[in-house]
Coordinates of all heavy atoms in Angstrom, one line a residue:
M3 N 96.1 117.5 102.6 CA 97.5 117.1 102.5 C 97.7 115.7 102.8 O 97.2 115.3 103.9 CB 98.4 118.0 103.4 CG 98.3 119.5 103.1 SD 99.2 120.0 101.7 CE 99.4 121.8 101.9
A4 N 98.5 115.0 102.0 CA 98.6 113.6 102.2 C 100.0 113.1 101.8 O 100.7 113.7 100.9 CB 97.6 112.8 101.4
K5 N 100.4 112.1 102.4 CA 101.7 111.3 102.0 C 101.2 110.4 101.0 O 100.2 109.5 101.2 CB 102.3 110.6 103.1 CG 103.6 109.8 102.7 CD 104.4 109.4 103.8 CE 105.6 108.8 103.3 NZ 106.2 107.7 103.9
I6 N 101.8 110.3 99.7 CA 101.3 109.5 98.7 C 102.3 108.4 98.5 O 103.5 108.6 98.3 CB 101.2 110.3 97.4 CG1 100.1 111.4 97.6 CG2 100.9 109.3 96.2 CD1 100.0 112.3 96.4
V7 N 101.9 107.1 98.5 CA 102.6 106.0 98.0 C 102.1 105.7 96.6 O 100.9 105.5 96.5 CB 102.4 104.7 99.0 CG1 103.2 103.6 98.5 CG2 103.0 105.1 100.4
C8 N 103.0 105.7 95.7 CA 102.5 105.6 94.3 C 103.3 104.4 93.6 O 104.5 104.4 93.5 CB 102.7 106.8 93.6 SG 102.2 106.7 91.9
T9 N 102.6 103.4 92.9 CA 103.3 102.4 92.3 C 103.6 102.7 90.8 O 104.0 101.9 90.1 CB 102.4 101.0 92.3 OG1 101.3 101.2 91.6 CG2 102.2 100.7 93.8
V10 N 103.1 103.9 90.4 CA 103.4 104.3 89.0 C 104.8 104.8 88.8 O 105.1 106.0 88.8 CB 102.3 105.4 88.6 CG1 102.4 105.5 87.0 CG2 100.9 105.1 89.0
T11 N 105.7 103.9 88.9 CA 107.1 104.2 88.8 C 107.7 104.8 87.6 O 108.8 105.3 87.5 CB 108.0 102.9 89.3 OG1 107.6 101.9 88.4 CG2 107.7 102.6 90.7
N12 N 106.8 104.7 86.5 CA 107.2 105.4 85.3 C 106.6 106.8 85.1 O 106.7 107.3 84.0 CB 106.9 104.4 84.0 CG 105.4 104.4 83.9 OD1 104.6 104.2 84.9 ND2 104.9 104.2 82.7
C13 N 106.1 107.3 86.2 CA 105.6 108.7 86.2 C 106.9 109.6 86.3 O 107.6 109.3 87.2 CB 104.5 108.9 87.2 SG 104.0 110.6 87.3
Y14 N 106.8 110.7 85.6 CA 107.9 111.7 85.8 C 108.0 112.2 87.3 O 109.1 112.5 87.8 CB 107.5 113.0 84.9 CG 108.4 114.2 85.1 CD1 109.6 114.1 84.3 CD2 108.1 115.2 85.7 CE1 110.5 115.2 84.5 CE2 109.0 116.3 85.8 CZ 110.2 116.3 85.2 OH 111.0 117.3 85.4
Y15 N 106.9 112.2 88.0 CA 107.0 112.7 89.3 C 107.4 111.7 90.4 O 107.4 111.8 91.6 CB 105.7 113.3 89.8 CG 105.4 114.6 89.0 CD1 104.3 114.7 88.1 CD2 106.1 115.8 89.2 CE1 104.1 115.8 87.3 CE2 105.8 117.0 88.5 CZ 104.8 116.9 87.6 OH 104.6 118.1 86.9
N16 N 107.6 110.4 90.0 CA 107.7 109.3 90.9 C 109.2 109.1 91.4 O 110.1 109.0 90.4 CB 107.2 108.0 90.3 CG 107.0 106.9 91.4 OD1 108.0 106.4 92.0 ND2 105.8 106.6 91.6
N17 N 109.4 109.0 92.6 CA 110.7 108.8 93.1 C 110.7 107.8 94.2 O 110.1 108.2 95.3 CB 111.4 110.1 93.5 CG 112.9 110.0 93.8 OD1 113.4 108.8 93.7 ND2 113.6 111.0 94.1
R18 N 111.2 106.7 94.1 CA 111.1 105.6 95.1 C 109.8 105.3 95.6 O 109.5 105.3 96.8 CB 112.1 105.9 96.2 CG 113.5 106.1 95.8 CD 114.5 106.1 97.0 NE 114.0 107.1 98.0 CZ 114.4 108.5 98.0 NH1 115.0 109.0 97.1 NH2 113.9 109.1 99.0
M19 N 108.8 105.3 94.7 CA 107.4 105.1 95.0 C 106.8 106.2 95.9 O 105.8 106.0 96.5 CB 107.1 103.7 95.6 CG 107.4 102.6 94.6 SD 107.2 100.9 95.1 CE 105.4 100.9 95.5
G20 N 107.4 107.4 95.8 CA 106.9 108.6 96.5 C 106.5 109.6 95.3 O 107.0 109.4 94.2
C21 N 105.8 110.5 95.6 CA 105.3 111.6 94.7 C 106.1 113.0 94.9 O 105.9 113.4 96.0 CB 103.8 111.8 94.6 SG 103.3 112.9 93.3
C22 N 106.7 113.4 93.9 CA 107.4 114.6 94.1 C 106.6 115.9 93.5 O 107.2 117.0 93.6 CB 108.8 114.6 93.2 SG 109.9 113.3 93.7
A23 N 105.4 115.7 93.0 CA 104.7 116.8 92.6 C 104.2 117.6 93.8 O 103.8 117.0 94.9 CB 103.5 116.4 91.7
P24 N 104.2 118.9 93.8 CA 103.7 119.6 95.0 C 102.2 119.5 95.2 O 101.8 119.6 96.3 CB 104.1 121.1 94.5 CG 104.3 121.1 93.1 CD 104.7 119.7 92.7
A25 N 101.5 119.2 94.1 CA 100.0 119.0 94.1 C 99.6 118.1 93.1 O 100.2 118.1 92.0 CB 99.3 120.3 94.1
I26 N 98.6 117.3 93.3 CA 98.1 116.4 92.2 C 96.6 116.6 92.1 O 96.0 117.1 93.0 CB 98.5 115.0 92.5 CG1 97.7 114.3 93.6 CG2 99.9 114.6 92.5 CD1 97.7 112.8 93.6
T27 N 96.0 116.2 90.9 CA 94.6 116.2 90.9 C 94.1 114.9 90.5 O 94.6 114.3 89.7 CB 94.1 117.2 89.6 OG1 94.7 118.5 90.0 CG2 92.7 117.2 89.5
V28 N 93.2 114.3 91.3 CA 92.5 113.1 91.0 C 91.2 113.3 90.4 O 90.4 114.2 90.8 CB 92.4 112.3 92.4 CG1 91.5 111.0 92.1 CG2 93.7 111.9 92.9
D29 N 90.8 112.5 89.3 CA 89.6 112.7 88.6 C 88.7 111.5 88.9 O 89.2 110.4 89.2 CB 90.0 112.8 87.1 CG 89.0 113.5 86.3 OD1 88.1 114.1 87.0 OD2 89.0 113.5 85.1
G30 N 87.5 111.7 88.7 CA 86.6 110.5 88.9 C 85.2 111.1 89.3 O 84.6 110.7 90.4
N31 N 84.6 112.0 88.6 CA 83.5 112.7 89.0 C 82.2 111.7 89.2 O 81.5 112.0 90.2 CB 83.1 113.7 87.9 CG 82.0 114.6 88.3 OD1 82.0 115.2 89.4 ND2 81.0 114.9 87.4
S32 N 82.2 110.7 88.5 CA 81.0 109.8 88.7 C 81.6 108.4 89.3 O 80.9 107.4 89.3 CB 80.4 109.4 87.2 OG 81.4 109.1 86.3
A33 N 82.8 108.4 89.7 CA 83.4 107.1 90.3 C 82.7 106.7 91.4 O 82.3 107.4 92.4 CB 84.9 107.4 90.6
V34 N 82.4 105.3 91.4 CA 81.8 104.6 92.7 C 82.8 103.6 93.1 O 82.5 102.9 94.2 CB 80.4 104.0 92.3 CG1 79.4 105.0 92.0 CG2 80.5 103.0 91.1
E35 N 83.9 103.3 92.4 CA 84.9 102.5 92.9 C 86.3 102.9 92.4 O 86.4 103.7 91.5 CB 84.7 101.1 92.4 CG 84.4 100.8 90.9 CD 84.1 99.3 90.7 OE1 84.8 98.5 91.1 OE2 83.2 99.2 89.9
S36 N 87.4 102.4 93.1 CA 88.7 103.1 92.9 C 89.1 103.0 91.4 O 89.7 104.0 90.9 CB 89.7 102.6 93.8 OG 89.9 101.3 93.4
R37 N 88.8 102.0 90.7 CA 89.3 101.9 89.3 C 88.7 102.9 88.3 O 89.1 103.0 87.3 CB 89.2 100.4 88.8 CG 87.7 100.0 88.6 CD 87.7 98.5 88.2 NE 86.3 98.0 88.2 CZ 85.5 98.1 87.0 NH1 86.1 98.5 85.9 NH2 84.4 97.7 87.0
Q38 N 87.6 103.5 88.8 CA 87.0 104.6 88.0 C 87.7 106.0 88.3 O 87.2 107.0 87.7 CB 85.5 104.7 88.2 CG 84.9 103.4 87.7 CD 83.5 103.2 88.2 OE1 83.1 103.6 89.3 NE2 82.7 102.5 87.5
T39 N 88.7 106.1 89.1 CA 89.4 107.2 89.4 C 90.7 107.3 88.7 O 91.1 106.3 88.2 CB 89.7 107.4 90.9 OG1 90.6 106.5 91.3 CG2 88.4 107.3 91.7
C40 N 91.3 108.4 88.6 CA 92.7 108.4 88.0 C 93.4 109.6 88.4 O 92.9 110.6 88.9 CB 92.6 108.4 86.5 SG 92.1 109.8 85.7
C41 N 94.8 109.5 88.4 CA 95.6 110.7 88.7 C 95.9 111.5 87.4 O 96.8 111.1 86.6 CB 97.0 110.2 89.4 SG 98.2 111.5 89.6
E42 N 95.3 112.6 87.4 CA 95.4 113.4 86.2 C 96.8 114.1 86.1 O 97.1 114.5 85.0 CB 94.4 114.6 86.3 CG 93.0 114.3 85.9 CD 92.9 114.2 84.3 OE1 93.4 115.0 83.7 OE2 92.2 113.2 83.8
T43 N 97.5 114.1 87.1 CA 98.7 114.7 87.1 C 99.9 113.8 86.5 O 100.9 114.3 86.2 CB 99.1 115.2 88.6 OG1 98.1 115.9 89.0 CG2 100.4 116.1 88.6
F44 N 99.6 112.6 86.3 CA 100.5 111.6 85.7 C 101.1 112.1 84.4 O 100.4 112.6 83.5 CB 99.8 110.3 85.4 CG 100.6 109.4 84.6 CD1 101.6 108.6 85.1 CD2 100.3 109.3 83.2 CE1 102.3 107.8 84.2 CE2 101.1 108.4 82.4 CZ 102.0 107.7 82.9
I45 N 102.5 112.0 84.3 CA 103.1 112.4 83.0 C 104.1 111.1 82.9 O 104.9 110.9 83.7 CB 104.0 113.7 83.1 CG1 103.1 114.9 83.4 CG2 104.6 113.9 81.7 CD1 103.8 116.1 83.6
E46 N 103.9 110.5 81.8 CA 104.8 109.4 81.4 C 106.3 109.8 81.3 O 106.6 110.8 80.6 CB 104.4 108.6 80.2 CG 105.1 107.3 80.0 CD 104.8 106.6 78.8 OE1 104.2 107.2 77.8 OE2 105.2 105.4 78.6
Q47 N 107.1 109.1 82.0 CA 108.6 109.3 81.9 C 109.1 108.6 80.6 O 109.1 107.4 80.6 CB 109.3 108.7 83.1 CG 110.7 108.9 83.2 CD 111.1 110.2 83.7 OE1 110.8 110.5 84.8 NE2 111.9 111.0 83.0
K48 N 109.4 109.4 79.6 CA 109.8 108.8 78.4 C 111.3 108.8 78.4 O 112.1 109.5 79.0 CB 109.3 109.8 77.2 CG 107.8 109.8 77.1 CD 107.4 109.5 75.7 CE 105.9 109.2 75.6 NZ 105.1 110.3 75.5
P49 N 111.8 107.7 77.6 CA 113.3 107.7 77.4 C 113.9 108.9 77.0 O 113.4 109.5 76.0 CB 113.5 106.5 76.4 CG 112.1 105.7 76.5 CD 111.1 106.8 76.9
G50 N 115.1 109.3 77.6 CA 115.6 110.5 77.1 C 115.1 111.8 77.9 O 115.7 112.9 77.8
V51 N 114.0 111.8 78.5 CA 113.4 112.8 79.3 C 114.1 112.8 80.7 O 114.1 111.8 81.3 CB 111.9 112.9 79.4 CG1 111.3 113.9 80.2 CG2 111.3 112.8 78.0
K52 N 114.5 114.0 81.0 CA 115.2 114.0 82.4 C 114.2 113.6 83.5 O 113.1 114.1 83.6 CB 115.7 115.5 82.5 CG 116.5 115.7 83.7 CD 117.0 117.2 83.8 CE 117.2 117.7 85.2 NZ 116.0 117.8 85.9
S53 N 114.8 112.7 84.2 CA 113.9 112.3 85.5 C 113.8 113.3 86.5 O 114.6 114.3 86.6 CB 114.6 111.0 86.1 OG 114.5 109.9 85.3
S54 N 112.7 113.3 87.2 CA 112.5 114.0 88.4 C 113.6 113.7 89.4 O 113.8 112.6 89.7 CB 111.0 113.8 88.9 OG 111.0 114.6 90.2
V55 N 114.2 114.7 89.9 CA 115.3 114.5 90.8 C 115.0 114.9 92.3 O 115.7 114.7 93.2 CB 116.6 115.2 90.4 CG1 117.2 114.5 89.2 CG2 116.4 116.6 90.2
S56 N 113.8 115.6 92.4 CA 113.5 116.0 93.9 C 113.0 114.9 94.7 O 112.7 113.8 94.2 CB 112.4 117.1 93.6 OG 111.3 116.7 92.9
E57 N 112.8 115.2 95.9 CA 112.5 114.1 96.9 C 110.9 114.2 97.0 O 110.2 115.1 96.8 CB 113.0 114.6 98.2 CG 114.5 114.3 98.4 CD 114.9 112.8 98.3 OE1 114.3 112.0 99.0 OE2 115.7 112.5 97.4
P58 N 110.4 112.9 97.3 CA 108.9 112.8 97.5 C 108.5 113.7 98.6 O 109.2 114.0 99.6 CB 108.7 111.4 97.8 CG 109.9 110.7 97.4 CD 111.1 111.6 97.4
N59 N 107.2 114.3 98.4 CA 106.7 115.2 99.4 C 106.0 114.3 100.4 O 105.4 113.2 100.1 CB 105.7 116.1 98.7 CG 106.3 117.1 98.0 OD1 107.3 117.6 98.3 ND2 105.7 117.5 96.8
S60 N 105.9 114.8 101.6 CA 105.1 114.0 102.7 C 103.7 114.6 102.8 O 102.9 114.2 103.7 CB 105.8 113.9 104.0 OG 106.3 115.2 104.4
N61 N 103.5 115.8 102.3 CA 102.3 116.5 102.4 C 101.8 117.2 101.1 O 101.6 118.4 101.0 CB 102.4 117.6 103.5 CG 103.5 118.6 103.2 OD1 104.3 118.4 102.3 ND2 103.7 119.7 104.0
T62 N 101.5 116.3 100.2 CA 101.0 116.7 98.8 C 99.6 117.2 99.0 O 98.8 116.5 99.5 CB 101.2 115.5 97.9 OG1 102.4 115.0 97.9 CG2 100.8 116.0 96.4
E63 N 99.3 118.4 98.3 CA 97.9 118.7 98.3 C 97.1 118.0 97.2 O 97.7 117.8 96.1 CB 97.8 120.2 97.9 CG 96.4 120.8 97.9 CD 96.3 122.2 97.4 OE1 97.2 123.0 97.7 OE2 95.2 122.5 96.9
I64 N 96.0 117.4 97.4 CA 95.3 116.5 96.5 C 93.9 117.2 96.2 O 93.1 117.2 97.0 CB 95.2 115.1 97.0 CG1 96.5 114.5 97.2 CG2 94.4 114.4 95.9 CD1 96.5 113.1 97.9
K65 N 93.9 117.8 95.0 CA 92.5 118.3 94.6 C 91.9 117.1 93.9 O 92.4 116.3 93.3 CB 92.7 119.3 93.4 CG 93.3 120.6 93.9 CD 93.3 121.7 92.8 CE 94.0 122.9 93.3 NZ 95.2 123.1 92.6
C66 N 90.6 116.8 94.3 CA 89.9 115.6 93.9 C 88.6 115.8 93.4 O 87.6 116.5 94.1 CB 89.9 114.7 95.1 SG 89.2 113.1 94.7
G67 N 88.3 115.3 92.2 CA 87.0 115.4 91.5 C 86.0 114.1 91.8 O 84.9 114.1 91.4
A68 N 86.6 113.2 92.6 CA 85.7 112.1 93.0 C 84.8 112.3 94.1 O 85.1 112.1 95.3 CB 86.6 110.8 93.3
V69 N 83.8 113.0 93.8 CA 82.9 113.5 94.8 C 82.2 112.5 95.7 O 81.7 112.8 96.7 CB 81.8 114.5 94.2 CG1 82.4 115.7 93.6 CG2 81.0 113.8 93.0
K70 N 82.2 111.3 95.2 CA 81.4 110.2 96.0 C 82.4 109.5 97.1 O 82.0 108.7 97.8 CB 80.9 109.2 95.0 CG 79.7 109.7 94.3 CD 79.1 108.7 93.4 CE 77.9 109.5 92.6 NZ 77.6 108.8 91.4
C71 N 83.7 109.9 97.1 CA 84.6 109.5 98.0 C 84.4 110.1 99.4 O 84.2 111.3 99.5 CB 86.0 109.7 97.6 SG 87.2 109.0 98.8
V72 N 84.5 109.2 100.5 CA 84.2 109.7 101.8 C 85.4 110.7 102.3 O 85.1 111.6 103.2 CB 84.2 108.6 102.8 CG1 82.9 107.7 102.5 CG2 85.5 107.7 102.8
F73 N 86.5 110.6 101.7 CA 87.6 111.6 102.0 C 87.5 113.0 101.3 O 88.3 113.7 101.6 CB 88.9 110.9 101.8 CG 89.2 109.7 102.5 CD1 89.3 108.4 101.9 CD2 89.3 109.7 103.9 CE1 89.4 107.2 102.6 CE2 89.5 108.6 104.7 CZ 89.6 107.4 104.1
N74 N 86.6 113.0 100.4 CA 86.5 114.3 99.5 C 85.7 115.3 100.3 O 84.5 115.1 100.7 CB 85.8 114.0 98.3 CG 86.0 115.2 97.3 OD1 85.7 116.3 97.7 ND2 86.3 114.8 96.0
K75 N 86.3 116.4 100.7 CA 85.6 117.5 101.3 C 85.8 118.8 100.5 O 86.9 119.3 100.5 CB 86.1 117.8 102.7 CG 85.9 116.7 103.7 CD 84.4 116.7 104.3 CE 84.2 115.5 105.1 NZ 84.3 114.2 104.7
A76 N 84.8 119.2 99.8 CA 84.7 120.4 98.9 C 85.9 120.3 97.9 O 86.6 121.4 97.7 CB 84.9 121.7 99.7
G77 N 86.0 119.2 97.4 CA 87.0 119.0 96.3 C 88.5 118.8 96.7 O 89.4 118.8 95.9
I78 N 88.7 118.7 98.0 CA 90.1 118.5 98.5 C 90.0 117.1 99.3 O 89.2 116.9 100.1 CB 90.5 119.6 99.5 CG1 90.4 120.9 98.8 CG2 91.9 119.4 100.0 CD1 91.5 121.2 97.6
C79 N 91.1 116.3 99.1 CA 91.3 115.0 99.8 C 91.6 115.2 101.2 O 92.7 115.9 101.4 CB 92.3 114.2 99.0 SG 92.5 112.6 99.9
Q80 N 91.0 114.6 102.1 CA 91.3 114.9 103.6 C 92.0 113.6 104.2 O 92.3 113.7 105.4 CB 89.9 115.0 104.3 CG 89.1 116.2 103.9 CD 89.9 117.6 104.1 OE1 90.6 117.7 105.1 NE2 89.6 118.5 103.2
S81 N 92.3 112.6 103.3 CA 93.0 111.5 103.9 C 94.5 111.7 104.1 O 95.1 112.5 103.4 CB 92.9 110.2 102.9 OG 93.7 109.2 103.4
A82 N 95.1 111.3 105.2 CA 96.5 111.5 105.5 C 97.4 110.7 104.7 O 98.6 111.2 104.5 CB 96.7 111.3 107.0
D83 N 97.0 109.6 104.2 CA 97.7 108.7 103.4 C 96.9 108.3 102.2 O 95.7 107.9 102.3 CB 98.1 107.4 104.2 CG 99.0 107.7 105.4 OD1 100.2 108.2 105.2 OD2 98.5 107.8 106.5
V84 N 97.6 108.3 101.0 CA 96.9 107.9 99.8 C 97.8 107.0 99.0 O 99.0 107.2 98.9 CB 96.6 109.2 99.0 CG1 96.1 108.9 97.6 CG2 95.4 110.0 99.7
V85 N 97.2 106.0 98.4 CA 97.9 105.0 97.5 C 97.4 105.2 96.2 O 96.1 105.1 95.9 CB 97.6 103.6 98.0 CG1 98.3 102.6 97.0 CG2 98.2 103.4 99.4
V86 N 98.3 105.5 95.2 CA 98.0 105.5 93.8 C 98.6 104.4 93.1 O 99.8 104.0 93.3 CB 98.5 106.8 93.2 CG1 98.3 106.9 91.7 CG2 97.8 108.0 93.9
N87 N 97.8 103.6 92.3 CA 98.3 102.6 91.6 C 98.2 102.7 90.0 O 97.4 103.6 89.5 CB 97.5 101.3 92.0 CG 98.0 100.7 93.3 OD1 99.3 100.4 93.5 ND2 97.1 100.4 94.2
G88 N 99.0 101.9 89.3 CA 98.9 101.9 87.9 C 100.3 101.7 87.3 O 100.8 102.5 86.5
K89 N 100.7 100.5 87.7 CA 102.1 100.1 87.1 C 102.1 100.0 85.7 O 101.2 99.5 85.0 CB 102.5 98.8 87.7 CG 103.9 98.4 87.9 CD 104.0 97.2 88.7 CE 105.4 96.6 88.8 NZ 106.5 97.5 88.6
N90 N 103.2 100.6 85.0 CA 103.3 100.7 83.5 C 102.2 101.6 82.8 O 102.1 101.2 81.6 CB 103.3 99.3 83.0 CG 104.6 98.5 83.6 OD1 105.6 99.0 83.8 ND2 104.4 97.2 83.8
A91 N 101.6 102.4 83.5 CA 100.5 103.2 82.9 C 101.2 104.0 81.8 O 102.3 104.5 81.8 CB 99.9 104.1 83.9
Q92 N 100.4 104.2 80.7 CA 100.9 105.1 79.7 C 100.1 106.4 79.6 O 100.6 107.3 79.0 CB 100.9 104.3 78.2 CG 101.9 103.1 78.3 CD 101.9 102.4 76.9 OE1 100.9 102.0 76.5 NE2 103.1 102.2 76.4
V93 N 98.9 106.3 80.1 CA 98.0 107.4 80.1 C 97.4 107.5 81.5 O 97.4 106.5 82.2 CB 96.9 107.4 79.1 CG1 97.5 107.5 77.6 CG2 96.1 106.1 79.1
S94 N 96.9 108.8 81.9 CA 96.4 109.0 83.2 C 95.3 108.0 83.6 O 95.1 107.5 84.7 CB 96.1 110.3 83.5 OG 95.0 110.7 82.7
E95 N 94.4 107.6 82.6 CA 93.3 106.7 82.8 C 93.7 105.4 83.2 O 92.9 104.6 83.8 CB 92.5 106.7 81.5 CG 91.7 107.8 81.2 CD 92.5 108.9 80.5 OE1 93.8 108.8 80.2 OE2 92.0 110.2 80.5
E96 N 95.0 105.0 83.2 CA 95.4 103.7 83.6 C 96.0 103.7 85.0 O 96.5 102.7 85.5 CB 96.6 103.2 82.6 CG 96.0 102.8 81.3 CD 97.0 102.5 80.2 OE1 98.2 102.5 80.5 OE2 96.6 102.2 79.0
T97 N 95.8 104.9 85.7 CA 96.2 105.0 87.1 C 94.9 105.0 87.9 O 93.8 105.3 87.3 CB 97.0 106.3 87.3 OG1 96.2 107.4 87.1 CG2 98.3 106.3 86.4
C98 N 95.0 104.9 89.2 CA 93.8 104.9 90.0 C 94.2 105.2 91.4 O 95.3 105.0 91.9 CB 92.9 103.7 90.0 SG 93.5 102.3 90.9
C99 N 93.3 105.9 92.1 CA 93.5 106.2 93.5 C 92.9 105.1 94.3 O 91.7 104.9 94.4 CB 92.8 107.6 94.0 SG 92.9 107.8 95.7
S100 N 93.8 104.2 94.9 CA 93.2 103.0 95.7 C 92.7 103.4 97.0 O 92.1 102.5 97.6 CB 94.4 101.9 95.7 OG 94.7 101.6 94.4
T101 N 92.9 104.5 97.5 CA 92.3 105.0 98.7 C 90.8 105.4 98.7 O 90.1 105.5 99.6 CB 93.2 106.1 99.3 OG1 94.6 105.7 99.3 CG2 92.7 106.5 100.7
F102 N 90.3 105.5 97.4 CA 88.9 105.9 97.2 C 88.0 104.9 98.0 O 88.2 103.8 98.0 CB 88.6 105.7 95.8 CG 87.2 106.0 95.4 CD1 86.7 107.3 95.1 CD2 86.3 104.9 95.5 CE1 85.4 107.5 94.9 CE2 84.9 105.1 95.2 CZ 84.5 106.4 94.9
K103 N 87.0 105.5 98.7 CA 86.0 104.8 99.4 C 84.7 105.5 99.3 O 84.7 106.6 99.6 CB 86.6 104.7 100.8 CG 85.9 103.7 101.7 CD 86.5 103.6 103.1 CE 85.6 103.0 104.1 NZ 86.0 103.3 105.5
S104 N 83.8 104.7 98.9 CA 82.4 105.3 98.8 C 81.5 104.9 99.9 O 81.8 104.1 100.7 CB 81.7 105.0 97.5 OG 81.5 103.7 97.4
Ligands
SF4_215 S1 101.0 109.0 89.1 FE1 100.2 110.9 90.2 S2 100.6 110.2 92.4 FE2 101.9 108.9 91.1 S3 104.0 109.9 91.0 FE3 102.8 110.5 89.2 S4 101.8 112.6 89.8 FE4 102.4 111.5 91.7

């Protein structure tokens, strides 16, 4: 469980740079650096699509496929704070978990 700070402000789940999703999945099975990871849960906020109105979570569950990260224990992120980046991302591959550390 982690508090997520996320710069992907055009994500459906983003509210004031916090994440409103109850759980996210980070991908990056062969990642050795953060830019090779991504937030699979990203959904682009399209014009006309209703914005997420819920409040950001302070304890989001993070399933993580980046097995080379030091915070990954059995596919779950153990870091208390996580930063996700990817300003103006249009697809999940343009986001990344900046907390990744190998
Ligand atoms: S990109 Fe991922 S971490 Fe950021 S708000 Fe969207 S679902 Fe949450």
Side-chain angles (χ1 to χ4, degrees):
M3 299 283 201
K5 180 170 187 209
I6 299 173
V7 173
C8 179
T9 65
V10 192
T11 52
N12 64 327
C13 175
Y14 176 78
Y15 293 112
N16 195 297
N17 190 356
R18 303 189 312 272
M19 291 180 65
C21 179
C22 300
I26 68 165
T27 301
V28 171
D29 204 9
N31 192 42
S32 55
V34 291
E35 52 186 314
S36 67
R37 67 186 174 90
Q38 295 166 330
T39 68
C40 71
C41 176
E42 275 287 315
T43 309
F44 167 81
I45 300 173
E46 187 183 13
Q47 180 84 59
K48 294 234 166 80
V51 175
K52 187 174 148 296
S53 288
S54 173
V55 291
S56 54
E57 287 296 306
N59 290 324
S60 56
N61 56 353
T62 306
E63 181 182 332
I64 304 176
K65 294 188 187 106
C66 184
V69 290
K70 291 180 179 153
C71 179
V72 296
F73 298 113
N74 190 317
K75 295 280 178 300
I78 303 291
C79 177
Q80 303 293 326
S81 177
D83 297 286
V84 166
V85 176
V86 174
N87 278 309
K89 210 165 167 22
N90 300 323
Q92 293 183 310
V93 291
S94 64
E95 286 76 14
E96 291 171 359
T97 67
C98 73
C99 174
S100 296
T101 305
F102 176 92
K103 193 174 159 199
S104 62

